[in-house]
Amino acid sequence: MNFRIDLPTKLALVLLLWICAFAVSWEAQVVLVLLIIMSRFAVPDFKPQSRRSARAFTRFLIYSFAVATFVLILNSLLIRGGSTFGSIGGFSLYQDGLFFGIRTASRLLLLTFAILVFFISTPLKDLIRYLQARGLSNSFALILLLTLHFLDQLPARIHQIFLAQQARGAPVDAGFISRSRALFSILSPLVLSSIVESIDRGTALELRGFLHRPTSTEESQSSPGQRNVLTLLILFLSLIVVLYTIAQWLLG
Amino acid sequence: MAARIDILSLSLRYSDTALPALDSVSLEIPQGGCVGIVGPTGSGKSTLLHTLSGILGKHHPEVVVSGQLCIGSDTFQGIPREVLFPTVGLVLQDPFIQISGVRDTVTEELRFTLENLDAAGQGSDQLIQTMLSSLGIEHLADRAPTTLSGGETQRVALASILISNPSVLLLDEPVTALDATAQNRLRSILKSLRGRTTVLLTDSQIDFPMSVCDTIVVLDRGRIEACAKPAELLLTGKLLTNVGGSEHWSSLVTPLNQPSSRRPGPLNRIRKALGLP
Amino acid sequence: MLKYIRERFAEELTGPALPFVAFCIALNLTAGQITAALKIPLYLDSIGTILVAVLVGPWSAVLCGSTANILASAFGNPAMMFFIPVVAVIGAFTGYVAKLGWFRKWYLVGLGGILQGVLAAIVSAPISAYLFSGVMMSGTDFLVLYFRSLGNTLMDSVLYQGLASDPVDKLVSYAIVFLLVRNLPLRLLSRLHGAVNLRTPDRAQ
């Protein structure tokens, strides 16, 4: 038995947080959101794996603050009930709308931050290999890994085509209609070259026997001694929350 | 173990074209031999390799075929309709395409082939190390395949096929993007495979095949125009004159008959490579 | 059911389809770079999904769209995860109409784009309303605000906003893909499963 934060633990945590986003009060959701944000800085297993992930987190933090504020204001303006507590531009802000906005915003933040912290702290290739070891088909795994490969190459390729088209006079800076035509002069060679490359790559994969590759048969937990107690605890907690919520709903 | 290849009057035509891609091709390639197929663009060189690998038959079921093909102990009426890997390994013209793009290191790239064969278990590390050493790329073991030069990628692509121990190795224009040093390295590798693997390579220039192959086959518009040992081709000017009858052979044949006075012509380079006077 | 799904995927995901679907997922995530460089107010974030739907098939298109949204979440926009049902519907519907041969005729492409937009608006409305209160931090938020100020419920406002903008957006994406694929040689496309849906008696090989 071991007690550590590994990939299955993180997945279980995301599940628990998503359940809480619909099952617990907004106060508890706000606390959970703050805990998630703090864990990004304080818990090594939740720290960003790269600078890009760290920047993505910071950008989303600012963006989510803006979204939450907008949700609060919008609902305070439009859901008229309870007493007013302020005004914006002559329009009154209502308490009922504010509380509805808080509930919506807290749920949204909990849902989004749970996934975000999972992804920034988990290298995608590790996630793909984990899924593959647990039965994800070789074809799907290959698609995911090739996508990461293309995501590295595509911006440079688009830029090259853009420059090449600009050099032969494509109207990239002209009026809207001309620029729309220029869109095709970039998309067309991009799509055509991708189809040609896909055919060649597909052929190359077949020539290396990929399509007849056997599916991985690795067991998720090969022996009881390797089970992660933390993962099991979190899953158990998720079950308790679900049952409690159902019981509350049934009992009115 | 190397496999013998026998091609008997093989003709192949795509259903939507009148002209055949291969026209009554007959060829015997001995076990462990090395044959070079030369010809201009569109002569059918790649078509022949793709046919032998099985990839053409699989993806173009509509092709009209006649003749017979034997690879090792397998006989095909017409052409194989399934990819024959690992019996037949094909290294494509563009080595960058052959690299899977999903592995972080050269070692893992080779392991990808073994995983496809369900042979990535015990002993695979040793096998990979041996393959890297035999191709002189052990220093690239931990490098990312996407950061390699053309020549290095070519050798990794070759290793990724050779690790499956094919009986037949097909190389589609392997020296197109290689400098002289890289070509020399490839020459050494192919010579080391002599007897162990049957090799068939294509090229649109005659220099490289002449220096490494036992037999040269000249292909033009799907037909075999000549088939001889390099020395015979070199010394029998008459044969080359006959082959050079068609216009688009001039770039291949003319230099052999009329070497440039400003630099050592292809004829002299070939003579030197073969150790001839 | 699982066996049926596996068979459909096996049918569609042939050798060349695997890298092509991967390319289209990446295209969904980077197409915005092209429109931004040309200062065209389009996202084109479904263009890869529509391409896969037309050239490969509906199941692969669902995979393409879903994976693009998951990766978008992974790269810093976690809200995209919740719109997976929307992109799945885009992929499935487009693949289905492509199978019916709608991508052979421009007027059917137009009709398909509008229907697709309506469908996308209907599927995205509850997600946008319930989870996001209709707030997406884009220009369309003002449309939602406008409809709400007319006395409509949140759900209705989000639906009306979707119906006002999604059909136009999807029509443009469909048109772009139609214009892209109609001039591609069929012999090249024939290695992809869906290419047969583009074949017409007069279309040159």
Side-chain angles (χ1 to χ4, degrees):
Chain A
M1 295 278 209
N2 57 59
F3 199 92
R4 58 191 168 88
I5 301 174
D6 56 11
L7 208 147
T9 313
K10 288 185 195 174
L11 285 170
L13 258 175
V14 171
L15 177 66
L16 174 62
L17 290 169
W18 277 21
I19 291 169
C20 290
F22 296 97
V24 306
S25 67
W26 68 264
E27 293 96 336
Q29 288 172 8
V30 169
V31 168
L32 285 171
V33 169
L34 290 171
L35 281 173
I36 293 170
I37 294 171
M38 275 163 46
S39 71
R40 171 253 180 269
F41 297 99
V43 179
D45 292 299
F46 291 120
K47 286 196 172 160
Q49 289 293 307
S50 64
R51 266 199 217 141
R52 189 161 85 165
S53 304
R55 278 199 304 266
F57 182 88
T58 309
R59 268 199 316 267
F60 187 74
L61 195 59
I62 299 166
Y63 171 80
S64 63
F65 178 73
V67 169
T69 309
F70 209 63
V71 166
L72 291 176
I73 295 172
L74 197 68
N75 285 290
S76 302
L77 283 171
L78 296 171
I79 298 178
R80 289 167 191 177
S83 53
T84 60
F85 63 92
S87 68
I88 290 179
F91 295 99
S92 301
L93 301 165
Y94 294 89
Q95 232 178 19
D96 281 5
L98 178 68
F99 280 115
F100 183 80
I102 289 173
R103 282 196 297 276
T104 305
S106 60
R107 182 174 54 230
L108 178 62
L109 290 176
L110 184 54
L111 287 168
T112 49
F113 271 104
I115 314 167
L116 184 68
V117 172
F118 170 77
F119 276 123
I120 63 166
S121 60
T122 310
L124 278 171
K125 288 189 178 176
D126 287 356
L127 177 60
I128 294 164
R129 278 189 210 111
Y130 171 80
L131 293 171
Q132 210 176 347
R134 273 140 195 84
L136 181 70
S137 87
N138 294 318
S139 296
F140 285 7
L142 184 87
I143 287 172
L144 291 171
L145 290 167
L146 271 178
T147 303
L148 298 180
H149 173 76
F150 285 132
L151 278 171
D152 275 338
Q153 290 188 342
L154 214 48
R157 210 198 289 190
I158 291 172
H159 185 63
Q160 263 182 339
I161 295 175
F162 184 87
L163 289 177
Q165 294 301 322
Q166 200 174 23
R168 56 176 278 269
V172 299
D173 290 319
F176 180 75
I177 305 288
S178 302
R179 280 183 281 126
S180 303
R181 276 204 218 107
L183 178 64
F184 281 95
S185 65
I186 295 169
L187 279 177
S188 253
L190 188 64
V191 171
L192 181 61
S193 66
S194 78
I195 293 174
V196 170
E197 186 181 330
S198 298
I199 290 170
D200 288 342
R201 277 192 182 273
T203 301
L205 288 169
E206 284 190 82
L207 290 168
R208 288 174 73 183
F210 177 77
L211 293 187
H212 298 291
R213 181 187 176 116
T215 309
S216 170
T217 55
E218 187 184 320
E219 295 298 322
S220 56
Q221 285 167 354
S222 52
S223 71
Q226 290 181 12
R227 283 205 188 110
N228 190 336
V229 172
L230 191 53
T231 309
L232 293 172
L233 271 175
I234 293 169
L235 289 172
F236 181 67
L237 194 54
S238 304
L239 184 63
I240 299 290
V241 172
V242 169
L243 291 172
Y244 179 72
T245 308
I246 293 172
Q248 266 202 319
W249 178 70
L250 286 171
L251 295 170
Chain B
M1 199 174 82
R4 183 187 167 83
I5 301 174
D6 291 297
I7 308 171
L8 187 61
S9 290
L10 187 67
S11 291
L12 188 150
R13 179 175 61 82
Y14 291 99
S15 57
D16 56 350
T17 55
L19 290 172
L22 295 173
D23 191 358
S24 301
V25 170
S26 291
L27 193 55
E28 288 173 14
I29 303 168
Q31 202 175 349
C34 183
V35 171
I37 313 258
V38 297
T41 312
S43 58
K45 309 189 295 294
S46 294
T47 303
L48 182 59
L49 290 197
H50 286 207
T51 301
L52 292 172
S53 73
I55 201 90
L56 188 142
K58 180 177 177 186
H59 290 293
H60 294 280
E62 77 283 2
V63 291
V64 178
V65 176
S66 65
Q68 198 179 59
L69 176 60
C70 300
I71 299 175
S73 56
D74 296 320
T75 302
F76 305 94
Q77 289 304 326
I79 59 173
R81 298 288 180 171
E82 279 301 321
V83 175
L84 298 178
F85 182 80
T87 307
V88 178
L90 170 59
V91 180
L92 297 171
Q93 190 171 351
D94 184 353
F96 294 98
I97 290 290
Q98 193 116 39
I99 302 301
S100 69
V102 299
R103 293 299 163 104
D104 296 331
T105 64
V106 168
T107 302
E108 289 306 310
E109 189 62 44
L110 265 57
R111 200 184 305 281
F112 180 76
T113 304
L114 294 176
E115 287 169 4
N116 294 340
L117 296 168
D118 202 12
Q122 236 176 359
S124 60
D125 287 342
Q126 183 61 40
L127 188 58
I128 291 169
Q129 276 310 305
T130 308
M131 183 55 57
L132 291 173
S133 302
S134 65
L135 294 186
I137 51 172
E138 59 271 25
H139 61 290
L140 301 176
D142 297 325
R143 286 271 302 273
T146 50
T147 62
L148 304 177
S149 68
E152 289 169 339
T153 308
Q154 174 72 276
R155 282 186 286 163
V156 171
L158 183 57
S160 72
I161 296 294
L162 280 176
I163 199 163
S164 64
N165 200 23
S167 302
V168 175
L169 178 66
L170 309 174
L171 299 159
D172 197 354
E173 303 209 23
V175 298
T176 308
L178 300 186
D179 59 20
T181 311
Q183 285 188 27
N184 280 334
R185 276 206 199 97
L186 183 61
R187 204 174 274 120
S188 309
I189 291 165
L190 293 178
K191 283 181 176 165
S192 72
L193 291 175
R194 198 62 67 83
R196 294 193 283 136
T197 309
T198 306
V199 176
L200 196 64
L201 63 90
T202 66
D203 208 329
S204 54
Q205 298 296 317
I206 210 161
D207 308 40
F208 186 81
M210 288 283 248
S211 65
V212 82
C213 299
D214 308 321
T215 307
I216 304 292
V217 172
V218 178
L219 204 62
D220 185 16
R221 285 180 277 206
R223 287 192 142 263
I224 292 183
E225 296 292 347
C227 177
K229 295 193 187 316
E232 287 169 13
L233 267 184
L234 204 60
L235 297 171
T236 315
K238 196 164 60 177
L239 182 64
L240 282 173
T241 308
N242 289 339
V243 169
S246 61
E247 230 174 71
H248 53 264
W249 272 100
S250 58
S251 63
L252 175 65
V253 175
T254 308
L256 288 166
N257 285 331
Q258 296 163 18
S260 163
S261 57
R262 272 181 270 157
R263 54 172 173 79
L267 189 69
N268 291 331
R269 285 204 305 273
I270 292 164
R271 279 206 174 100
K272 194 176 167 187
L274 289 173
L276 292 171
Chain C
M1 179 73 184
L2 213 59
K3 190 182 168 206
Y4 175 80
I5 294 171
R6 272 203 205 106
E7 280 169 7
R8 297 287 75 74
F9 273 116
E11 197 178 61
E12 290 181 12
L13 292 177
T14 57
L18 300 174
F20 184 65
V21 170
F23 165 79
C24 287
I25 295 169
L27 186 62
N28 275 350
L29 296 169
T30 53
Q33 183 185 342
I34 305 173
T35 52
L38 292 171
K39 299 186 196 72
I40 294 173
L42 287 173
Y43 288 114
L44 294 186
D45 55 359
S46 293
I47 190 165
T49 307
I50 297 169
L51 265 172
V52 171
V54 173
L55 295 177
V56 185
W59 292 93
S60 305
V62 169
L63 174 70
C64 176
S66 309
T67 308
N69 274 37
I70 292 171
L71 288 177
S73 298
F75 294 140
N77 191 359
M80 294 297 284
M81 187 77 113
F82 304 104
F83 289 93
I84 287 177
V86 181
V87 296
V89 161
I90 291 173
F93 179 80
T94 310
Y96 178 67
V97 300
K99 271 190 164 182
L100 294 176
W102 283 26
F103 273 81
R104 294 179 201 159
K105 300 284 180 205
W106 64 268
Y107 50 88
L108 290 174
V109 168
L111 177 63
I114 291 169
L115 287 175
Q116 172 69 89
V118 169
L119 207 51
I122 292 169
V123 175
S124 67
I127 300 168
S128 186
Y130 184 62
L131 284 178
F132 298 89
S133 267
V135 173
M136 297 310 298
M137 294 301 283
S138 70
T140 53
D141 293 348
F142 292 102
L143 264 177
V144 174
L145 205 59
Y146 168 71
F147 286 123
R148 286 212 73 188
S149 68
L150 295 178
N152 296 296
T153 63
L154 177 60
M155 179 74 95
D156 286 347
S157 303
V158 174
L159 179 62
Y160 297 151
Q161 172 267 309
L163 290 172
S165 60
D166 283 349
V168 174
D169 177 69
K170 294 297 169 287
L171 178 63
V172 169
S173 299
Y174 265 43
I176 290 173
V177 170
F178 171 69
L179 292 169
L180 278 174
V181 302
R182 71 175 184 162
N183 290 323
L184 294 174
L186 266 181
R187 167 146 347 155
L188 185 68
L189 297 178
S190 63
R191 294 283 296 274
L192 297 170
H193 180 257
V196 65
N197 305 318
L198 299 171
R199 210 178 284 275
T200 57
D202 56 336
R203 181 157 170 178
Q205 292 285 312

